[in-house]
């Protein structure tokens, strides 16, 4: 074991050369590549972190939007339900009103129908009663009845109010015509005279009478003085009853 | 077994310099490592291949080792410490090649590396702290300890050189003796032991060098605030 100074010095030089070579061709390029790769990785990590933060921000934003939409949807749904409820109530009220109107209308129609039916029944009853009374009176009518009716007519004329009598008297000369006297049975001369005298007393004027027969009257007289028609016969009375009954029923 | 096998002989002379087998082997190693580094540096990519991954792994491992001891001086120490490790691994393993002797079985080579470590300790220490502040640590904690500091500097450098030389030289000698005595298959475990021992000795030498250099860099660290990698 001996120390060679030449080897010693050359080894020092050799190692220093090796250090220079490795530093020049090995460490620096490798460190540069490693540094660049680390920078690249850090840049990518930073970009990834940035993207992650952006994604989280978007996620929060979308969640917020979703919550807003959900609240808005629930509010709109509640509003819609309120509107539907109000609309339903309004429609139900309108339907109730329409039903009430229909019901009232139906009741009115029913009442009218019943009144009409009742009126028709009354009318029919009156007509039947009239026919019955007419046939009964036709069989029961006679000169005695007609005499009574004549007296009744003259008494009724005498009991007319004064203003109507005055009106009747004014019509007499204006007509200039004879008083038409119709009877169901032929009048005797006495009865014709009684009628003429009665009329002259009531009308306080000279009266010309034209007597005729009308079996349709059943019994009694009918006087036509100008536009006035004065009746005291069964037919007119029956018609008058029927007219009065119809008028009463219409009211 | 003759003297030429145990101790390197002079192959030729260049002026006053004697060129031994150790020097020739060292030149070959430097040329091989330099060529490999040059070829590798021409093919560096951001997406590394297998060789580039291996090379980057070596550099990162050395950086981590330096960072564990001297975290503020990684880039400053990397070329020297990494070169020591790479050279010693290759030089120690050269003995496995038939007909080639490891340069580190020569005391001249290990002494040269030890002297370089010794000088590096002071170089990096003075460079980082200044001459006065660096020399002051020899007087701390008491000037009485100055002789002991000096003896420590010398002995650890001698120990560094002799440890590597003794281990590698004895390893080769043991392998040679077993090869001579046992014949053909018996040296294989010894060769495996050679590989392990070569790696361990390279690691020990490089780690001790790193610790010594880091000690020189951080000798005054307790008295000054951290300054970061101001020399990088």
């Amino acid at each position: 074991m001996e120390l060679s100074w030449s080897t010693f010095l050359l080894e020092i030089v050799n190692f220093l050369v090796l250090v220079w070579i490795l530093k020049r061709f090995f460490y620096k390029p490798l460190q540069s590549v490693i540094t660049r790769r680390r920078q690249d990785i850090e840049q990518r990590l930073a970009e990834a972190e940035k993207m992650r933060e952006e994604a989280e921000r978007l996620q929060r934003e979308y969640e917020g939007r979703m919550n807003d939409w959900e609240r808005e949807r629930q509010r709109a749904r509640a509003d819609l339900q309120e509107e539907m409820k109000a609309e339903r109530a309004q429609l139900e009220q309108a339907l109730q009103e329409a039903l009430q109107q229909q019901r009232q209308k139906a009741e009115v129609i029913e009442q009218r129908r019943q009144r009409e039916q009742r009126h028709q029944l009354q009318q029919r009853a009156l007509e039947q009663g009239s026919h019955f009374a007419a046939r009964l009176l036709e069989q029961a009518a006679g000169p005695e009845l007609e005499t009574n009716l004549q007296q009744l007519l003259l008494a009724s004329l005498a009991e007319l109010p004064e203003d109507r009598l005055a009106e009747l008297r004014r019509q007499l000369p204006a007509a200039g015509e004879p008083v038409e006297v119709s009877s169901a049975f032929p009048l005797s001369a006495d009865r014709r005279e009684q009628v003429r005298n009665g009329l002259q007393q009531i009308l306080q004027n000279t009266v010309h009478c034209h007597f005729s027969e009308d079996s349709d009257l059943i019994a009694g007289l009918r006087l036509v003085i100008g536009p006035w028609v004065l009746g005291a016969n069964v037919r007119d009375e029956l018609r008058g009853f029927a007219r009065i009954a119809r008028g009463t029923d219409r009211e | 077994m003759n003297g030429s096998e145990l101790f390197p002989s002079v192959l030729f002379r260049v002026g006053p310099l004697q060129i031994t087998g150790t020097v020739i082997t060292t030149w070959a190693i430097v040329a091989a490592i330099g060529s490999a580094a040059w070829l590798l540096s021409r093919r560096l990519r951001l997406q590394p291949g297998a060789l580039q991954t291996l090379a980057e792994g070596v550099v990162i491992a050395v950086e981590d080792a330096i960072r564990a001891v001297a975290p503020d001086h990684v880039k400053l120490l990397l070329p020297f410490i990494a070169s020591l490790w790479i050279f010693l691994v290759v030089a120690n393993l050269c003995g496995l090649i038939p007909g080639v002797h490891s340069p580190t079985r020569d005391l001249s080579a290990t002494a040269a590396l030890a002297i370089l470590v010794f000088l590096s300790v002071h170089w990096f220490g003075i460079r980082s702290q200044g001459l006065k502040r660096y020399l002051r640590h020899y007087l701390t904690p008491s000037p009485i300890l100055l002789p002991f500091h000096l003896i420590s500097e010398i002995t650890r450098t001698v120990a560094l050189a002799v440890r590597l030389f003794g281990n590698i030289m004895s390893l080769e000698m043991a392998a040679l003796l077993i090869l001579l005595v046992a014949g053909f298959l018996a040296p294989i475990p010894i060769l495996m032991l050679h590989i392990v021992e070569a790696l361990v000795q390279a690691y020990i030498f490089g780690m001790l060098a790193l610790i010594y250099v880091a000690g020189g860099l951080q000798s005054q660290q307790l008295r000054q605030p951290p300054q970061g990698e101001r020399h990088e």
Side-chain angles (χ1 to χ4, degrees), chain A residues 24-35:
Chain A
R24 172 72 177 79
F25 295 108
F26 192 65
Y27 304 131
K28 280 188 176 179
L30 274 179
Q31 284 179 325
S32 175
V33 169
I34 292 171
T35 302

Side-chain angles (χ1 to χ4, degrees), chain B residues 3-146:
Chain B
S4 63
E5 291 176 340
L6 285 178
F7 304 106
S9 59
V10 177
L11 299 179
F12 57 92
R13 293 175 181 273
V14 178
L17 297 177
Q18 299 175 345
I19 307 301
T20 61
T22 301
V23 174
I24 298 297
T25 306
T26 302
W27 283 349
I29 291 171
V30 170
I33 294 174
S35 300
W38 180 72
L39 289 174
L40 185 66
S41 66
R42 294 169 61 86
R43 299 176 182 177
L44 295 178
R45 300 286 185 274
L46 285 178
Q47 300 293 329
L51 283 176
Q52 185 177 339
T53 302
L54 177 64
E56 290 180 4
V58 170
V59 171
I60 290 173
V62 176
E63 281 182 346
D64 290 342
I66 296 172
R67 189 173 291 109
V69 179
D72 297 336
H73 307 283
V74 175
K75 288 188 177 179
L76 178 66
L77 300 182
L78 177 71
F80 180 70
I81 301 298
S83 300
L84 261 182
W85 261 320
I86 293 170
F87 175 74
L88 286 175
V89 166
V90 176
N92 291 347
L93 291 175
C94 275
L96 294 173
I97 302 172
V100 177
H101 294 290
S102 173
T104 49
R105 70 157 193 164
D106 189 342
L107 182 62
S108 302
T110 58
L113 295 176
I115 285 296
L116 281 174
V117 172
F118 174 80
L119 295 176
S120 298
V121 170
H122 304 303
W123 165 254
F124 288 123
I126 293 170
R127 190 178 167 186
S128 65
Q129 302 171 35
L131 181 61
K132 287 184 178 179
R133 288 177 62 87
Y134 176 72
L135 292 178
R136 194 177 300 154
H137 89 277
Y138 286 106
L139 303 177
T140 56
S142 171
I144 300 173
L145 295 177
L146 176 62

Side-chain angles (χ1 to χ4, degrees), chain A residues 8-187:
Chain A
F8 180 79
L9 293 175
L10 286 173
E11 287 294 330
I12 290 174
V13 172
N14 287 342
F15 185 76
L16 292 178
V17 170
L18 178 65
V19 170
W20 181 83
I21 289 172
L22 288 179
K23 185 177 181 181
R24 172 72 177 79
F25 295 108
F26 192 65
Y27 304 131
K28 280 188 176 179
L30 274 179
Q31 284 179 325
S32 175
V33 169
I34 292 171
T35 302
R36 274 189 291 154
R37 186 182 299 121
R38 282 178 178 166
Q39 289 175 349
D40 189 31
I41 292 171
E42 288 174 358
Q43 183 179 358
R44 291 186 182 183
L45 286 175
E47 291 176 356
E49 181 67 19
K50 188 176 179 182
M51 291 175 66
R52 190 179 66 84
E53 291 175 354
E54 180 70 14
E56 288 180 351
R57 187 185 65 77
L58 287 174
Q59 184 180 5
R60 287 194 297 273
E61 185 176 343
Y62 289 151
E63 286 177 352
R65 285 185 186 177
M66 289 295 289
N67 291 332
D68 292 342
W69 288 343
E70 183 66 21
R71 283 195 294 273
E72 187 175 352
R73 188 176 69 84
Q74 290 179 353
R75 189 167 56 247
R77 190 172 181 177
D79 293 343
L80 180 62
Q81 287 180 346
E82 287 294 327
E83 289 181 4
M84 289 173 64
K85 191 175 179 182
E87 184 71 18
R88 188 187 300 126
Q90 188 176 358
L91 289 174
E92 285 178 356
Q93 186 177 1
L95 183 60
Q96 290 292 337
E97 290 176 355
L99 286 173
Q100 186 66 23
Q101 289 178 357
Q102 290 292 331
R103 195 178 295 118
Q104 290 176 354
K105 191 182 292 183
E107 288 177 357
V108 169
I109 291 172
E110 180 65 18
Q111 289 175 358
R112 186 179 299 169
R113 189 188 64 79
Q114 290 178 357
R115 190 166 59 243
E116 192 70 25
Q117 188 177 7
R118 188 167 58 247
H119 171 69
Q120 289 176 357
L121 290 174
Q122 288 177 354
Q123 185 71 23
R124 188 179 300 171
L126 285 173
E127 288 177 356
Q128 289 179 353
S130 177
H131 285 296
F132 179 74
R135 295 188 62 181
L136 182 63
L137 288 174
E138 281 176 359
Q139 294 177 1
E144 296 82 8
L145 179 60
E146 193 169 71
T147 303
N148 293 336
L149 290 175
Q150 178 187 336
Q151 292 174 357
L152 180 62
L153 174 62
L154 292 175
S156 298
L157 284 173
E159 291 175 357
L160 282 174
E162 192 59 31
D163 54 342
R164 299 194 61 180
L165 286 173
E167 180 69 20
L168 190 61
R169 289 166 187 156
R170 276 197 304 272
Q171 294 294 331
L172 186 63
E177 296 176 356
V179 176
E180 292 289 335
V181 179
S182 301
S183 62
F185 299 98
L187 294 177

